[in-house]
């Protein structure tokens, strides 16, 4: 094993005592030295690159010019290679150096832009001795602008023969190793730019899918007569979901504000104001734990439609998801984590309490208060927090049921008709006392949203808020707070309305077949590293 480090003459001189110089000018160090210096390799390489940066500047070369003169993308020239090939051609390409081979008086490199990669060929006879010396100062990861003609090598490699080149951005840190990729999951998520460089097309495709999902989502809603609006992220009072907020302080106003946990209450104000179909795709923030399906900062789609109910919303949800799958995947049949899922509407509508009875063996209707339900849950091996109300215990049973992951629960379906005390913004069920007209879509075992026949009775809404405040007083810090301004809006009058919230990140997980939410968020929230903690000290 040897360690190859292309060096400036100054660097070569300083380390020749440890090794020997190969005929091509590459410094060869014994493997034992490389291993001994492994922990120092990144600082050492950065120092080498800094020396080369200074050498370029000493020669009057700006390694970070303001402009480039690209005539074609790499994909363009590859698509028309036979037409463009020949010594009379002149094409200017740009890209990052991914491979570099120095052969003395000639060098080969592979560069890539955002479209493709191509081999380029440098030769001292074409560039001149002075310009060619600067090729020796290039490193993997540098960006270059190269101009020349196209030809095919004896090995069949499509190549640009360089007649003129310049460096357009000098990299000061080494790239991850291209062919082994960047395998450490946490580093990939923490330093997404390295992940995108090292794992290229595979990772980029995930985020291309994310972009296309959001584009299809917008197109579907726009085509159905909805208008997109933006509502406040900084809110004087948070609401619209059961979650703990992040708190911040506004210095000029000298008041605490909250990062929104949902956009619901503001979009409903727009319904009150006369818009009939509204939606927003935006970031929400919930001060909660981090796991495979939760990130404190996440993207949510919410829409509200006047003169509609939860049955109308179920139809719209299944049609939208099927439309997105067709647009993004080309089919309504997709595979998620090894399971094939049929998204073709209509999806099964399953009453929540019936599903719990079937999959946990607990008939919730037999336990009318939280104490008896908690006792039954504990007797059957389920956790039951005594501080929670009966509805929240039912919600915990639902989560435990979904975690079992039976094949039926990995398909596309709706759970419908939820307990009233965990649905403070929902109309009571028109037929079943104690329940509300609420549903949640489940896809591949992922809870992907929440939807209601929206409560528009201001007096009933006040009573529900007051009950939530009592639950907060009893220790439920995720219960909703009473919002007087929203109640005033309801008293102005809101028509019967259907509303939906869809977790965009989870829908992308499904379409991109990713197991963790952190793999579909470019820059997820991460726990502190040891280095982070040391810096704080």
């Amino acid at each position: 094993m040897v360690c190859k480090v292309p060096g400036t003459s100054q660097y070569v001189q300083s380390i020749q005592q440890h090794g020997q110089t190969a005929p091509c000018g590459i410094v060869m160090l014994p493997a034992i030295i490389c291993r001994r210096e492994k922990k120092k390799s990144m600082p050492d390489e950065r120092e080498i690159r800094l020396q080369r940066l200074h050498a370029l500047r000493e020669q009057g070369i700006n390694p970070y010019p303001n402009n480039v003169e690209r005539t074609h993308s790499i994909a363009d020239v590859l698509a028309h290679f036979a037409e463009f090939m020949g010594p009379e051609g002149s094409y200017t390409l740009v890209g990052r150096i991914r491979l570099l081979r120095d052969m003395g008086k000639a060098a080969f490199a592979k560069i890539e832009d955002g479209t493709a990669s191509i081999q380029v060929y440098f030769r001292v006879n074409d560039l001149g001795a002075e310009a060619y010396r600067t090729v020796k100062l290039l490193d993997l990861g540098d960006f270059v602008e190269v101009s020349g003609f196209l030809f095919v090598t004896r090995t069949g490699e499509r190549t640009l023969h360089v007649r003129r080149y310049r460096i357009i951005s000098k990299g000061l840190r080494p790239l991850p190793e291209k062919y082994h990729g960047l395998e450490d999951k946490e580093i990939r998520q923490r330093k997404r730019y390295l992940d995108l460089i090292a794992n290229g097309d595979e990772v980029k495709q995930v985020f291309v899918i994310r972009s296309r999902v959001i584009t299809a989502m917008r197109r579907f809603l726009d085509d159905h007569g909805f208008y997109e609006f933006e509502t406040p992220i900084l809110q004087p009072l948070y609401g619209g979901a059961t979650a703990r907020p992040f708190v911040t302080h506004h210095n000029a106003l000298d008041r605490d504000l909250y990062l929104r946990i949902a956009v619901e209450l503001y979009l409903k104000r727009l319904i009150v104001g006369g818009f009939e179909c509204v939606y927003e795709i935006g970031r929400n923030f919930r001060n909660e734990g981090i796991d495979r399906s939760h990130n404190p900062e996440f993207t949510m789609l919410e829409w509200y439609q006047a003169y509609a109910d939860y049955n109308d919303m179920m139809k719209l949800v299944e049609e939208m998801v099927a439309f997105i799958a067709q647009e993004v995947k080309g089919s309504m049949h997709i595979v998620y984590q090894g399971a094939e899922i049929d998204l073709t509407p209509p999806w099964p509508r399953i009453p929540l309490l019936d599903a719990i009875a079937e999959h946990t063996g607990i008939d919730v209707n037999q336990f009318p208060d939280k104490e008896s339900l908690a006792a039954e849950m504990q007797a059957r091996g389920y956790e039951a927090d005594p501080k929670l109300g009966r509805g929240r215990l039912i919600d915990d049973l639902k989560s435990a049921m979904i975690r079992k992951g039976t094949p039926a629960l990995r398909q596309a379906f709706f759970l419908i008709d939820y307990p009233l005390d965990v649905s403070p913004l929902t109309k009571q069920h028109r037929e079943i006392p104690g329940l509300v007209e609420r549903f949640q879509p489940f896809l591949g075992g992922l809870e992907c949203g929440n939807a209601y026949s929206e409560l528009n009775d201001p007096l009933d809404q006040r009573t529900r808020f007051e009950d939530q405040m009592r639950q907060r007083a009893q220790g439920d810090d995720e219960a909703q707070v009473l919002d007087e301004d929203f109640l005033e809006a309801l008293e102005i009058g809101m028509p019967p309305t259907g509303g939906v919230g869809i977790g965009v990140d989870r829908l992308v997980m499904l379409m991109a077949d990713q197991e963790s939410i952190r793999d579909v968020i470019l820059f997820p929230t991460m726990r502190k590293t040891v280095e982070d903690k040391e810096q704080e000290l």
Side-chain angles (χ1 to χ4, degrees):
M1 171 184 168
V2 294
C3 179
K4 300 183 179 181
V5 185
T8 61
S9 58
Q10 178 184 0
Y11 181 72
V12 171
Q13 222 172 28
S14 70
I15 62 173
Q16 274 183 334
Q17 57 184 314
H18 297 298
Q20 59 181 352
T21 304
C24 62
I26 302 298
V27 178
M28 315 287 283
L29 295 183
I32 186 68
I33 297 176
C34 294
R35 288 196 295 270
R36 188 178 300 150
E37 298 298 322
K38 188 174 182 181
K39 290 184 179 178
K40 299 179 182 178
S41 61
M42 199 283 288
D44 286 350
E45 181 157 350
R46 184 173 184 273
E47 183 59 33
I48 295 167
R49 288 169 179 247
L50 281 170
Q51 290 176 16
R52 292 174 181 165
L53 174 72
H54 298 324
L56 288 166
R57 283 180 164 151
E58 286 170 2
Q59 295 178 42
I61 297 170
N62 177 8
Y64 304 102
N66 289 28
N67 70 307
V68 298
E69 299 174 359
R70 173 162 63 172
T71 61
H72 296 75
S73 70
I74 294 174
D76 286 339
V77 298
L78 293 178
H80 301 90
F81 198 87
E83 175 188 348
F84 291 168
M85 186 174 63
E88 71 283 353
S90 180
Y91 303 93
T92 301
L93 309 178
V94 297
R96 185 195 292 273
I97 298 174
R98 298 306 304 264
L99 291 173
L100 185 60
R101 287 183 292 144
D102 183 358
M103 303 173 67
K105 294 185 177 182
F108 285 94
K110 181 158 283 191
I111 66 169
E112 64 180 24
D113 60 11
T115 67
S117 64
I118 192 171
Q119 179 171 271
V120 299
Y121 174 58
F122 302 95
R123 194 173 64 168
V124 65
N125 291 354
D126 299 299
L127 297 175
E130 184 177 348
Y132 188 76
R133 276 196 294 271
T134 65
V135 174
K136 305 285 187 178
L137 301 177
L138 295 176
D139 289 292
L140 297 183
D142 292 351
F143 286 87
V144 292
E145 175 187 285
V146 288
S147 299
F149 65 90
L150 300 169
F151 76 104
V152 177
T153 66
R154 283 177 295 179
T155 60
E157 184 82 12
R158 293 182 293 181
T159 304
L160 180 83
H161 188 123
V162 180
R163 287 173 166 158
R164 176 177 56 84
Y165 100 97
R166 61 175 178 152
I167 186 167
I168 56 176
S169 183
K170 181 71 179 168
L172 299 183
R173 290 174 181 262
L175 299 179
E177 189 178 355
K178 180 177 176 64
Y179 291 107
H180 290 89
L182 182 64
E183 296 179 358
D184 187 298
K185 198 76 168 174
E186 183 161 327
I187 293 177
R188 291 178 63 181
Q189 294 165 350
R190 193 178 296 276
K191 298 183 183 295
R192 186 68 74 190
Y193 50 92
L194 294 181
D195 189 24
L196 290 166
I197 292 170
N199 299 306
D201 293 342
E202 174 192 347
V203 178
K204 288 178 181 176
Q205 183 59 25
V206 170
F207 294 100
V208 168
I209 288 174
R210 182 185 180 99
S211 177
R212 294 188 64 205
V213 164
I214 294 172
T215 297
M217 189 177 284
R218 280 196 167 96
R219 185 182 306 126
F220 178 87
L221 290 170
D222 291 346
D223 289 348
H224 281 73
F226 284 78
Y227 293 101
E228 183 176 10
F229 294 103
E230 299 83 33
T231 61
I233 291 176
L234 283 178
Q235 300 182 349
L237 199 64
Y238 63 95
T242 53
R244 285 176 293 179
F246 288 96
V247 186
T248 188
H249 187 78
H250 192 290
N251 292 332
L253 296 178
D254 192 24
R255 66 179 299 187
D256 285 343
L257 294 170
Y258 304 93
L259 299 185
R260 70 182 179 199
I261 61 174
V263 303
E264 176 170 349
L265 301 186
Y266 282 90
L267 289 181
K268 284 182 180 177
R269 288 170 168 91
L270 298 182
I271 298 291
V272 170
F275 284 104
E276 290 192 6
C277 296
V278 300
Y279 76 96
E280 181 171 2
I281 300 172
R283 303 294 265 185
N284 288 346
F285 308 85
R286 297 182 185 177
N287 202 343
E288 59 189 12
I290 298 173
D291 59 32
R292 65 174 287 267
S293 60
H294 291 86
N295 191 68
E297 177 183 3
F298 61 98
T299 303
M300 196 78 166
L301 160 68
E302 290 198 35
W303 78 71
Y304 295 86
Q305 180 177 348
Y307 313 110
D309 66 8
Y310 81 142
N311 292 307
D312 301 309
M313 297 300 98
M314 275 185 265
K315 187 172 184 296
L316 210 54
V317 167
E318 61 194 4
E319 289 177 354
M320 183 190 74
V321 173
F323 173 81
I324 291 171
Q326 190 67 51
E327 289 287 297
V328 174
K329 307 292 287 184
S331 172
M332 295 183 194
H333 292 259
I334 65 171
V335 175
Y336 179 66
Q337 299 296 290
E340 183 174 334
I341 303 169
D342 183 1
L343 299 174
T344 307
W347 303 347
R349 278 93 163 130
I350 307 170
L352 171 64
L353 301 189
D354 292 352
I356 288 175
E358 178 183 350
H359 293 280
T360 70
I362 299 176
D363 182 355
V364 171
N365 292 318
Q366 300 300 312
F367 306 96
D369 54 61
K370 70 175 185 178
E371 289 79 13
S372 61
L373 179 57
E376 178 66 12
M377 289 172 63
Q378 290 170 346
R380 290 180 176 267
Y382 295 100
E383 293 183 9
D385 187 338
K387 294 185 297 184
L388 300 182
R390 180 174 177 273
R392 287 292 301 279
L393 291 174
I394 294 172
D395 198 58
D396 284 352
L397 272 177
K398 175 204 72 178
S399 299
M401 169 189 77
I402 296 297
R403 283 196 297 270
K404 286 187 173 181
T406 61
L409 296 177
R410 290 180 63 80
Q411 283 301 309
F413 64 92
F414 296 112
L415 286 182
I416 66 173
D417 303 339
Y418 279 57
L420 185 149
D421 59 351
V422 289
S423 309
L425 299 164
T426 314
K427 275 190 172 180
Q428 294 191 47
H429 201 284
R430 64 195 78 180
E431 296 174 358
I432 308 172
L435 299 183
V436 296
E437 294 189 349
R438 172 185 172 189
F439 72 86
Q440 289 185 293
F442 286 82
L443 304 163
L446 294 172
E447 175 190 305
C448 288
N450 203 12
Y452 319 139
S453 293
E454 301 293 338
L455 181 58
N456 62 339
D457 178 342
L459 301 181
D460 190 1
Q461 184 65 83
R462 180 177 293 278
T463 300
R464 306 274 195 94
F465 276 152
E466 289 171 348
D467 180 62
Q468 288 284 297
M469 295 299 285
R470 282 191 290 271
Q471 291 183 41
R472 289 181 68 84
Q474 293 170 6
D476 185 354
D477 56 3
E478 293 189 356
Q480 296 203 38
V481 294
L482 192 148
D483 188 333
E484 286 287 358
D485 184 75
F486 176 66
L487 289 172
E488 181 179 333
L490 281 187
E491 290 188 359
I492 296 295
M494 185 176 85
T497 298
V500 173
I502 297 291
V504 174
D505 307 299
R506 294 186 188 178
L507 193 57
V508 175
M509 287 171 63
L510 187 82
M511 297 296 169
D513 192 16
Q514 296 296 305
E515 190 269 341
S516 171
I517 194 171
R518 290 189 293 276
D519 290 326
V520 300
I521 296 175
L522 278 167
F523 303 103
T525 305
M526 304 291 289
R527 292 178 173 85
K528 290 181 180 179
T529 63
V530 173
E531 290 79 7
D532 293 334
K533 294 175 182 176
E534 288 175 349
Q535 286 179 9
E536 288 181 356
L537 296 176

